[in-house]
Amino acid sequence: MASKASLLFALSLLFTACLARQRQQQQDQCQLRNIEALEPYDIIQAEAGVTEIWDADNQQFQCAGVDFIRHRIQPGGLLLPSYVNTPILAFIERGRGVNGVILPGCPETYEYSQDQQFSGERRGQEFESQDRHQKVEELNQGDVVAIPTGAAHWLHNDGDSELVAVVFFDTQSYNNQLDEYHRRFFLAGNPQAQSQQHQQGRPQIQRQQQQGRPRRQGQWQGRQFQNSGNIFNGFDAEFIAEAFKVDRDTAEKLQGQRDQRGHIVKAQQGLQIIRPQQTRQHQQSRRGSSGPFDPRQQHQGRRGSGGWSNGFEETICSLKLKENIENPSHADFVNPQAGKIANLNSFKFPILKHLQLSAERGELQRNAIQSPHWTINAHNLLYVTDGTLRVQIVNNEGNSVFDNELREGQVVVIPQNFAVIKRAGEQGAKWVSFKTNDNAMIANLAGRVSAISSLPVDVVANSYQLSREDAQRLKFSQRETVLFNPNYRSQGRASA
């Protein structure tokens, strides 16, 4: 008994040491002295599109515990079914499509059959005219799609223009128990067939080099596409045939060893998908609606534990998995002369409570400014979708770690509590942000409701060595709240 107790004690110490080392490594990753605007590092080509990948080893991503990619799917293209080890938030930047998320244990509520009576003689023929599957969603520009960890999903471009979807992965989620990277498990195809690593990249893509340490050779490619097939490839064909009750030839097609199309394939003659008889206009009018949700669900942190607090039918299966963040009803801050900001959190989009993620859509008009602020409880990945955005980021030592202009398609990570200010360029700017908390909160430094305006006048005066009159002017001169009119400064001087 004594030796067993000693062993358990030793294992406990080892486990504690491992946790402490992991925590220290995470803290070290966030000792950022310089942040850079990031662009795609690699390109994975396929028959009907490409996937652009940011460097998962970049110190910014390692600090925030996130990863980021962008899919460009041609008309008629199908992103093959797969699942990953992290929760996902995807944003439809351009185009339209159809998306399916397979939730284990949920019923296949979309079905069609010409004849519900299946006789033994006609059974094989009637398979050709029947189908049933879990529900699908029509996606439009501005939609945010939430995908739980391990849920298989697919995406089809049924429009006549390119579909662009940016995808955010929370690799530090409590649901990810593999490692610090997102890993994709394909259910179909042969992902390695047309993948390649571009050493020079396309003209608009500049390869980003790792800050302060060498990149692990072939690491991303090893996790995702290179030298990898779909999950059926690793099973014996005879086992597959027996499990599905199909012949060996069909089983080998599931393995996809001779499939040369890559991970995004061209759908033959379009996809025949069961969906409600509704126009897209009607679908768009329903964007602001929210599906049923069980309020008793336990709230968990990124590193916590727990799960759904009720049965499948009342929670997971009925949850809404998409919401359009560009719906005017989601706007939280609006200034007609400066811009608008909309936040999508777990109060508006309940599934985000389980994913522990949220999103923000921002728009600034020409030269307009968003109040300097910090995010209280989340890291923030900012992706510019239109125009240019001047961004300055300051760390806890009061040093500038980023002062640059972000162009369309560039990404920057703003660590928790780092102060940031944004100003739009001459053409204005739009962005989408992904945050690692389902109810991310910001604290403004300037404006009508801010840290400075909330301090007593004498505290302001003594803190900044100002006269009481100047302290009052500092507190009350800016009468706008979050979005500042670019002409306000000149107007203020004129009135003074």
Side-chain angles (χ1 to χ4, degrees):
M1 291 294 294
S3 61
K4 186 175 182 180
S6 298
L7 178 60
L8 290 175
F9 180 70
L11 290 175
S12 176
L13 290 177
L14 179 62
F15 180 71
T16 302
C18 290
L19 286 179
R21 191 182 307 112
Q22 183 181 17
R23 202 171 289 118
Q24 183 62 44
Q25 289 174 350
Q26 179 64 24
Q27 292 172 352
D28 291 343
Q29 293 290 351
C30 288
Q31 299 300 315
L32 299 173
R33 294 291 183 269
N34 184 47
I35 293 177
E36 296 182 354
L38 303 177
E39 295 182 357
Y41 190 93
D42 293 319
I43 305 174
I44 306 299
Q45 292 188 329
E47 178 187 53
V50 300
T51 296
E52 299 167 325
I53 302 98
W54 274 254
D55 183 11
D57 280 330
N58 186 277
Q59 190 177 6
Q60 296 178 51
F61 286 176
Q62 291 288 304
C63 165
V66 301
D67 209 344
F68 193 71
I69 66 174
R70 180 169 59 208
H71 296 302
R72 297 183 179 274
I73 305 176
Q74 299 171 7
L78 170 67
L79 177 63
L80 292 174
S82 65
Y83 59 90
V84 299
N85 58 315
T86 74
I88 292 174
L89 274 189
F91 173 73
I92 305 302
E93 183 177 354
R94 287 196 301 275
R96 73 181 198 189
V98 181
N99 169 249
V101 178
I102 312 304
L103 299 175
C106 295
E108 298 159 345
T109 54
Y110 285 29
E111 58 184 346
Y112 168 79
S113 177
Q114 292 183 352
D115 186 354
Q116 297 295 333
Q117 302 298 322
F118 300 110
S119 65
E121 296 179 353
R122 299 176 56 203
R123 185 182 300 270
Q125 297 176 357
E126 292 186 355
F127 279 154
E128 298 180 0
S129 60
Q130 70 161 327
D131 190 16
R132 63 174 180 269
H133 53 73
Q134 290 190 15
K135 66 180 180 180
V136 299
E137 298 275 9
E138 293 190 2
L139 302 182
N140 296 276
Q141 180 176 316
D143 279 339
V144 172
V145 182
I147 303 176
T149 304
H153 54 277
W154 52 269
L155 177 61
H156 172 57
N157 182 352
D158 67 343
D160 53 8
S161 61
E162 184 182 54
L163 171 62
V164 179
V166 294
V167 186
F168 173 86
F169 306 90
D170 181 12
T171 59
Q172 282 191 10
S173 167
Y174 66 89
N175 282 316
N176 175 21
Q177 300 188 23
L178 283 180
D179 54 32
E180 60 186 348
Y181 301 101
H182 89 271
R183 296 174 180 264
R184 187 173 295 274
F185 299 78
F186 279 94
L187 274 65
N190 186 11
Q192 66 176 323
Q194 292 197 22
S195 67
Q196 66 179 35
Q197 184 173 2
H198 284 218
Q199 297 300 325
Q200 296 180 345
R202 295 190 301 179
Q204 72 271 31
I205 295 181
Q206 300 174 0
R207 298 182 61 81
Q208 307 294 322
Q209 297 301 321
Q210 188 66 25
Q211 301 176 21
R213 58 192 173 93
R215 175 174 170 82
R216 301 174 191 175
Q217 192 66 24
Q219 187 178 66
W220 195 94
Q221 297 291 339
R223 293 198 311 276
Q224 295 284 338
F225 292 95
Q226 291 289 355
N227 303 317
S228 65
N230 73 60
I231 57 176
F232 291 110
N233 183 59
F235 293 131
D236 188 280
E238 293 184 4
F239 282 11
I240 298 174
E242 186 174 347
F244 284 92
K245 294 186 177 180
V246 295
D247 56 40
R248 185 179 178 87
D249 183 61
T250 300
E252 290 178 351
K253 287 185 176 180
L254 263 67
Q255 293 179 316
Q257 294 177 359
R258 295 188 292 271
D259 193 332
Q260 299 299 312
R261 300 172 297 169
H263 65 295
I264 303 175
V265 304
K266 186 74 172 179
Q268 299 301 319
Q269 300 176 348
L271 293 185
Q272 300 299 316
I273 301 173
I274 304 168
R275 49 182 128 176
Q277 296 296 318
Q278 298 173 350
T279 63
R280 287 189 174 271
Q281 181 179 0
H282 179 68
Q283 287 286 336
Q284 293 172 1
S285 69
R286 298 178 64 240
R287 288 176 181 173
S289 63
S290 181
F293 178 72
D294 180 8
R296 293 170 291 177
Q297 177 186 325
Q298 184 180 1
H299 183 88
Q300 299 294 341
R302 293 180 81 196
R303 296 181 180 275
S305 61
W308 300 94
S309 59
N310 207 335
F312 283 150
E313 294 293 332
E314 297 182 13
T315 54
I316 298 177
C317 300
S318 59
L319 274 175
K320 190 177 180 69
L321 299 180
K322 75 154 188 177
E323 192 70 50
N324 194 281
I325 198 170
E326 295 182 352
N327 187 325
S329 67
H330 290 319
D332 296 293
F333 303 100
V334 177
N335 183 338
Q337 286 76 43
K340 58 185 177 181
I341 292 178
N343 291 289
L344 202 57
N345 55 31
S346 58
F347 296 107
K348 300 177 183 179
F349 195 15
I351 194 173
L352 295 181
K353 191 179 185 73
H354 176 62
L355 271 60
Q356 286 292 285
L357 299 173
S358 57
E360 173 190 273
R361 182 64 162 154
E363 177 180 354
L364 288 176
Q365 297 182 16
R366 175 184 176 183
N367 295 326
I369 293 176
Q370 180 184 358
S371 170
H373 63 275
W374 72 91
T375 302
I376 294 174
N377 56 352
H379 296 300
N380 181 1
L381 184 147
L382 187 152
Y383 171 79
V384 175
T385 61
D386 299 276
T388 58
L389 188 67
R390 176 74 178 275
V391 178
Q392 295 180 344
I393 304 174
V394 178
N395 66 9
N396 63 299
E397 297 174 346
N399 296 323
S400 174
V401 294
F402 183 83
D403 183 2
N404 212 333
E405 186 175 75
L406 290 176
R407 304 187 305 274
E408 179 180 338
Q410 290 186 322
V411 164
V412 71
V413 172
I414 306 168
Q416 177 185 6
N417 290 339
F418 279 43
V420 60
I421 187 170
K422 308 184 188 88
R423 183 178 68 187
E426 291 296 321
Q427 303 301 318
K430 291 183 180 180
W431 72 88
V432 61
S433 290
F434 301 94
K435 303 183 180 185
T436 58
N437 192 298
D438 67 293
N439 189 24
M441 297 180 289
I442 67 170
N444 291 310
L445 286 163
R448 193 158 48 89
V449 182
S450 65
I452 301 302
S453 68
S454 297
L455 293 171
V457 170
D458 282 356
V459 172
V460 174
N462 283 275
S463 296
Y464 300 108
Q465 296 182 307
L466 299 173
S467 67
R468 206 168 194 278
E469 180 182 356
D470 287 341
Q472 288 178 326
R473 186 176 298 111
L474 177 66
K475 278 193 59 169
F476 302 116
S477 289
Q478 179 56 269
R479 294 187 293 271
E480 295 174 308
T481 306
V482 174
L483 304 171
F484 301 157
N485 182 353
N487 299 321
Y488 183 79
R489 182 179 178 184
S490 60
Q491 292 173 358
R493 285 180 174 176
S495 62

